[in-house]
Amino acid sequence: MAGTGSQGSVKAEELPNSSFLWGVSTSSFQIEGATHSDGRGDSIWDTYCRQQGRVKNGDNGDIACDHYHRFAEDVALMQGLGVGAYRFSISWPRVLPRGRGGGNEPGLSFYDRLIDALLAAGIEPWICLYHWDLPQALDDLGGWENRDIAGWFADYAALVGRRYGDRVKRFATFNEPCVFTLFGYGFGSNAPGIADKAALHRAIHHVNLSHGAAIDVLRSCVQGASLGAIHNRQPCFAESTSAGDVAAALRFAEYWNDAFPHPQHFGCYTPALAEAMEPYQQPGDMAQIARRVDWFGLNHYSPHYIKADSNLLGATFGAPPDDVPRTSIGWPIVPGAFRDTLLDIDRRFGLPIYVLENGTAADDRIDDAGHVQDAGRIAYLQAYTGAMNEAISAGADVRGYFVWSLLDNFEWASGYSQRFGIVYVDYATQRRIPKESARWYSNCIAASRRLRFPATMR
Ligand code: FCB
């Protein structure tokens, strides 16, 4: 696909990293489908989708992008793009239908085939252990609220590490722990749909414990492992200058930005969260949580504008100022906040940074010529990779950038109504149509490779 784009000329900027990694990301529940095939167990998202009114249009993950059956085509698409890496997640209930106990061989061998296809295509596999699809059988036992889950998660990590660690070295424990705990246990707007402050705090602590336990297991069973977790960090601006909104923004940021990276890196909760987290801690927990990792995984789309609310956090999403543009899903477009976030992470954590999700939803349509002209997405990606390059020039140690997402897919409570892919999926036929942004990204990667450092396209 490289070289076929029509989006202007390539202008490279000299940047410090000569082996910059360009990739794409997806997650199991959002693309695989085949939820009832080959012995897979239910996940909490299967259950959540069955509950009336939870997911837009009553959508579910039963077919999604049918990636389970079409992975070879999808790997070929990635190869055509020229990406160096693919980040995907393992579906815990596909490999362990009841969450623990014996592994499910057909599910395990699906990921063997995927990994082997990626390696044959020259694409480095990056595995994320948990992208939100908890086995329902474990939720029935309390899910992330049950402290025993740290042991269940460690056993799952061992299964994955032992099975794939001969071919895969990059493992992330969790994707966006702040999102699935806050929305799943605090606001109830994601699976498993619980809205309870104590449940939220329990889940936060048990996810942190599980992270540390999985890091230990992966270190011991994967030779040469390169490990991390994937966090969102986003500036949380107050919607207004009122004291209530300012306090709400600070409180929201404690949960959003600090509930996970802070204990995982510094071995304690921030002062603002310490008291709330105290009841769930046992001696030795914080040392177990703060295990050495090799990189900081960042997902970033936009800053937040927060306002006071009567919910359990006293804070919710507000509106950006009128002059801030927004994407089709309503997220503000502020590339400067991305640059500042990268610099801030670099200063705070001192680890190599991989941007493991960035991208945008758009109202994509197939035109009469059969193309998808997504100029808005290209503008977004240009602006955000440009901001990343500014951060790198200013000294941030950013080693890679992965677009969310390879394919349009199941966007959680929004169902299929939001398209984030650089490849369009016609859900009726499962036909994949690379959008203009796929060509842009491919050209960007090719230019970067030729020049041996990251480039943006102007
Ligand atoms: C992130 C999620 C990912 C996807 C994008 C749009 O928060 O990690 O699964 O939904 O947002």
Side-chain angles (χ1 to χ4, degrees), residues 177-220:
C178 74
V179 175
F180 79 81
T181 54
L182 190 57
F183 292 1
Y185 293 84
F187 296 156
S189 54
N190 274 6
I194 295 167
D196 178 86
K197 204 161 185 182
L200 170 64
H201 292 147
R202 268 196 291 275
I204 289 173
H205 191 61
H206 298 153
V207 168
N208 276 324
L209 273 179
S210 303
H211 162 81
I215 292 287
D216 283 351
V217 161
L218 291 168
R219 282 256 184 257
S220 74

Side-chain angles (χ1 to χ4, degrees), residues 346-362:
D346 189 71
R347 271 193 301 269
R348 273 176 203 258
F349 301 102
L351 283 169
I353 303 168
Y354 287 92
V355 177
L356 292 174
E357 283 186 29
N358 175 248
T360 180

Side-chain angles (χ1 to χ4, degrees), residues 30 131-132 175-176 299 301 331 357 404 411-412 420:
Q30 294 180 277
H131 201 127
W132 308 359
N175 177 73
E176 299 189 355
N299 289 357
Y301 293 85
W331 298 353
E357 283 186 29
W404 183 272
E411 177 49 28
W412 308 114
F420 271 91

Side-chain angles (χ1 to χ4, degrees), residues 1 25 39 46 70 77 100 103 121 125 160 165 209 230 258 283 295 323 334 341 356 364 370 404 419 432 442 446:
M1 196 174 296
S25 293
D46 297 284
R70 294 168 195 264
L77 271 170
R100 52 199 182 134
V160 170
L209 273 179
I230 306 168
D258 286 326
W295 38 266
D323 58 348
V334 188
T341 298
L356 292 174
D364 300 316
W404 183 272
R419 293 182 176 273
R432 275 78 164 130
S442 184

Side-chain angles (χ1 to χ4, degrees), residues 145-200:
E145 287 192 73
N146 185 336
R147 190 179 162 96
D148 290 345
I149 201 163
W152 305 334
F153 192 68
D155 290 346
Y156 162 55
L159 175 75
V160 170
R162 289 199 187 106
R163 177 83 179 210
Y164 309 118
D166 57 336
R167 289 155 289 164
V168 181
K169 302 299 170 192
R170 306 283 200 163
F171 291 89
T173 52
F174 286 94
N175 177 73
E176 299 189 355
C178 74
V179 175
F180 79 81
T181 54
L182 190 57
F183 292 1
Y185 293 84
F187 296 156
S189 54
N190 274 6
I194 295 167
D196 178 86
K197 204 161 185 182
L200 170 64

Side-chain angles (χ1 to χ4, degrees), residues 29 35-36 39-51 54 91-100 130 132-146 149 152 184-185 190-194:
F29 191 78
T35 52
H36 305 293
R40 177 188 177 277
D42 263 356
S43 77
I44 53 173
W45 270 95
D46 297 284
T47 309
Y48 195 72
C49 290
R50 280 182 214 123
Q51 295 168 359
R54 294 291 208 181
S91 163
W92 189 348
R94 193 179 292 291
V95 298
L96 283 167
R98 308 226 22 99
R100 52 199 182 134
Y130 189 78
W132 308 359
D133 43 358
L134 183 71
Q136 182 58 48
L138 297 185
D139 188 60
D140 294 343
L141 300 173
W144 294 109
E145 287 192 73
N146 185 336
I149 201 163
W152 305 334
Y185 293 84
N190 274 6
I194 295 167

